[in-house]
Amino acid sequence: MLYLVLAGAGLIPGVATTWLVRRRHSWTTALLAGAAVVVALPVATVAALAALLLYFPLLGVALGLAAAAAALHDYDAGRIWVATSWAATAAVLLSLASWRVL
């Protein structure tokens, strides 16, 4: 059920864009605009998060330490793949925070 909600949240802006552009342009242009919106949303979200972490390094450090703690907990529980993704997330967060501190 959560996957359906996430898929809807990602696709609804693209469908709305397609519907609005279709009123004035062709279906091809409308579908391309809708696809561009669907693709651009995750990219814009990641860029905004990276900018937030660069401008507020303490937030990046706090989130990085929380991700490292989650990685240690998952390594102890035996969930290697999940723990490795948490460790990678911690590394990215701490590196983004350290760029601004230096």
Side-chain angles (χ1 to χ4, degrees):
M1 185 67 179
L2 183 61
Y3 289 131
L4 291 175
V5 171
L6 289 174
L11 293 176
I12 287 175
V15 171
T17 302
T18 302
W19 181 259
L20 292 173
V21 171
R22 173 59 190 115
R23 291 182 178 180
R24 294 185 182 195
H25 300 287
S26 67
W27 273 107
T28 306
T29 306
L31 289 174
L32 287 174
V37 167
V38 169
V39 170
L41 281 175
V43 173
T45 303
V46 169
L49 180 62
L52 180 71
L53 293 174
L54 284 172
Y55 288 116
F56 299 107
L58 291 179
L59 177 65
V61 170
L63 291 175
L65 292 176
L72 290 174
H73 180 267
D74 284 337
Y75 277 127
D76 285 341
R79 296 184 292 254
I80 302 300
W81 291 108
V82 175
T84 303
S85 67
W86 277 118
T89 302
V92 168
L93 288 169
L94 291 172
S95 69
L96 283 173
S98 67
W99 285 348
R100 183 69 175 159
V101 173
L102 296 176

